Structures are given as structure tokens and as C-alpha cells.
Amino acid sequence: MAPIPTYFSDALLAKFFFVRGCHFARFGSAFDKGLAVSLFQDSIEICARAATKAVGAEPGRTFTAYWQQVVKAAKDAPRDKLPMLAEMSQLNAARVAFKHHGNPPAYADGFQRDCEEFLRLVMRDFLGESFDGLSQADMIGDQDIRLAMKAAERALIEDGPKAALQRCADGLNIAHERRLGFGDPGIGVQFNNVPAEISREIRLHVGNLWNHLHHLRELTFAGLFGMNMLDVMAMRELVPTKQGKEYVFRDGVERSISIERASAVVRITNEYCARLSDHLSSSIP
């Protein structure tokens, strides 16, 4: 018996492009809006192409041909009609205007809402996937980091912000170990072995210096990965450091944050870990 085809990878890739588009849509420049619209359109096309495969149709040569091909293959079954042709045609026109003619869109938020609605409907009705059920952590290549970050997403729902931040610390701790395995010598090893006779004041200064250097290193990696520096600074401010079995918050002060802000930190940590995992997978150990 032939295996039943699944479209998890298509749905995950479509959501990845959508999430990246949302990142650029947050910024105010016309260039960022144009990039957001282009990524939204890519997301829609990935999902529409998968839907045509799901109904046994052949993709057409134009963007709107996906809708036409699905209708032909579906034989007028209401469920098997791709939705929102008018809205997606507007999105495609905005993308063409930006990419081929250099005319950036005036806005991106409306396209973002339309794109999300389309993805939700098509993933549910054609691909057998839940838009919300697709975890950002699934985009992380390293299995151990991915499992830690999926635990962070679950903790956000089941256990609250503090537990979610601790699971983020687990993921970042594994990511740090992976970097050491790829030739990153780390910093702080020599600081952790400060002789006992050194005064407490000097130890405090050494500890502060280690923290600043560690923070600078993380920002350097974030810059190499093309991440938003303010996002990474927020992640480092709120996610505790794992020391043995203990979770130590910056300056020894546990942060009390809302579930919304914790959710944003989980998203940022997922993105950081995904980019680090991709970077390590393409590096020479």
C-alpha cells in the first residue's frame, strides 16, 4: 500500500516565510515593507502549490493558475476551491511592483492579515495541518535544541512565563555547548578558575567583565545571523543562565513578565537557535 502523502514540510516552509515576513513588516521603511510583501507572497505560493498537489492537479505557469488548476481537479467540490483569489492577487501585484519595478508597497499589515488567513484555511482544508500547531521550534535542525525549545513552547501554555524562560535557558545552554564543539573556545573558563586568595571585590569585577564579554559575544553571533539586535538584547535580559541545575537571572534578580512578553522571548530564542543550528550544520567541525 502506498504511503499517504503528507505536506508537513510544505506547511512548515510556508509558515517560516510568513514569520520572516512578519519580522520585516514591523519596521517602517519602504524597503522592509517590500521585503515583507515578497515573503508573504512566497509563503502563499508554497502553500498553493502544495494544495494543487494535494488534489492531484498540476501547478500552472502563473500565480493565479493555482486557483484554476484546483477548480479543474476538484470538479466543483466546494471544499476544494482555493480561497481569497482577489486578496492574493493584490498581494502578488504588490510583490511584482516591488521586485520588478522598484515600487514599494504603502503598507504591509493588511497583506499580513490576508496571508495568515489564507494559510490557516488552506493548511486546514488541503494539507491536513494546523497553522497554530506548526511550531517555530520545528525549524531548528539540531534535535536536542529543537526538543528544548518545543518544551519552552509547551511551558508557555501549561506552566507560565517563568517556566518558559527556563526552558529557553535549556535550549541556549545546549546551543552554547554545540558552539564549543565547533571550535568556539568560549570565554569565562579562565574567569571561573580565579584563585581562592583573590579578594571578593576583584572577583566581582572579574564576574562583571565575564558577563559583559559574554553579552558582547552573543550580540556578535546575532549580528552574523542577521537578527535584530534589540530582540537579542531582550532575550539576554530576560532568559536566565543555567548553572548546573540552577537558573540564575541577570544581576540575580528574577524578572516578572507577562505571558505576551514571554511569548515574544520564546519566538526570539527559537529564531536565534534555528539560525545557530543552520550555521553549525554548514560549518566545518
Side-chain angles (χ1 to χ4, degrees):
M1 181 177 179
I4 299 173
T6 61
Y7 301 96
F8 174 79
S9 60
D10 300 281
L12 185 62
L13 184 60
K15 185 167 183 179
F16 172 77
F17 275 85
F18 173 75
V19 170
R20 295 302 303 144
C22 293
H23 169 76
F24 286 105
R26 291 186 299 161
F27 303 111
S29 76
F31 180 73
D32 288 318
K33 290 186 178 69
L35 286 176
V37 164
S38 294
L39 288 164
F40 292 150
Q41 193 273 353
D42 287 336
S43 176
I44 294 301
E45 188 156 12
I46 291 167
C47 202
R49 184 184 301 115
T52 61
K53 290 189 295 183
V55 298
E58 290 293 328
R61 296 184 178 181
T62 65
F63 181 72
T64 57
Y66 293 111
W67 280 256
Q68 298 165 3
Q69 294 296 95
V70 168
V71 168
K72 290 180 182 179
K75 296 182 171 54
D76 297 324
R79 174 184 169 277
D80 290 335
K81 291 183 179 179
L82 286 177
M84 305 177 67
L85 174 59
E87 292 88 343
M88 296 304 101
S89 295
Q90 291 178 358
L91 171 61
N92 187 58
R95 176 251 189 190
V96 170
F98 174 69
K99 182 176 180 180
H100 297 288
H101 305 289
N103 298 320
Y107 62 89
D109 51 347
F111 291 126
Q112 178 177 328
R113 289 191 297 271
D114 290 340
C115 181
E116 180 175 345
E117 183 179 355
F118 177 90
L119 294 177
R120 287 181 181 279
L121 293 172
V122 175
M123 287 182 186
R124 182 194 67 192
D125 295 339
F126 289 86
L127 308 187
E129 299 290 345
S130 165
F131 179 85
D132 292 322
L134 291 170
S135 166
Q136 282 186 278
D138 286 318
M139 302 174 191
I140 300 173
D142 185 287
Q143 181 179 7
D144 294 332
I145 303 175
R146 181 170 66 252
L147 292 175
M149 291 310 303
K150 286 179 78 70
E153 292 178 334
R154 288 195 303 273
L156 194 64
I157 299 171
E158 300 172 2
D159 305 312
K162 179 180 177 180
L165 295 181
Q166 289 175 339
R167 300 293 78 75
C168 285
D170 294 339
L172 289 173
N173 191 58
I174 298 170
H176 173 66
E177 292 174 355
R178 295 292 189 269
R179 284 210 315 261
L180 294 179
F182 273 75
D184 177 1
I187 56 175
V189 176
Q190 44 290 49
F191 295 159
N192 291 334
N193 297 318
V194 176
E197 60 270 18
I198 299 297
S199 70
R200 180 175 179 275
E201 183 178 0
I202 293 178
R203 284 175 175 274
L204 287 174
H205 285 304
V206 169
N208 287 333
L209 177 60
W210 180 85
N211 285 333
H212 286 304
L213 289 174
H214 184 70
H215 189 59
L216 179 61
R217 182 180 63 169
E218 295 305 321
L219 290 177
T220 301
F221 273 104
L224 290 172
F225 300 155
M227 290 191 65
N228 183 298
M229 291 293 187
L230 293 178
D231 282 348
V232 177
M233 290 173 68
M235 178 183 75
R236 278 301 172 192
E237 175 71 22
L238 296 171
V239 176
T241 300
K242 190 173 184 182
Q243 298 181 3
K245 295 183 178 180
E246 300 293 323
Y247 295 91
V248 180
F249 287 84
R250 189 176 179 184
D251 303 325
V253 179
E254 182 177 325
R255 272 55 173 177
S256 177
I257 65 172
S258 66
I259 192 73
E260 292 79 14
R261 197 169 187 199
S263 178
V265 172
V266 171
R267 174 186 59 78
I268 295 165
T269 309
N270 263 327
E271 183 176 359
Y272 177 87
C273 289
R275 295 195 181 201
L276 175 64
S277 180
D278 288 345
H279 178 76
L280 294 181
S281 67
S282 62
S283 300
I284 300 175

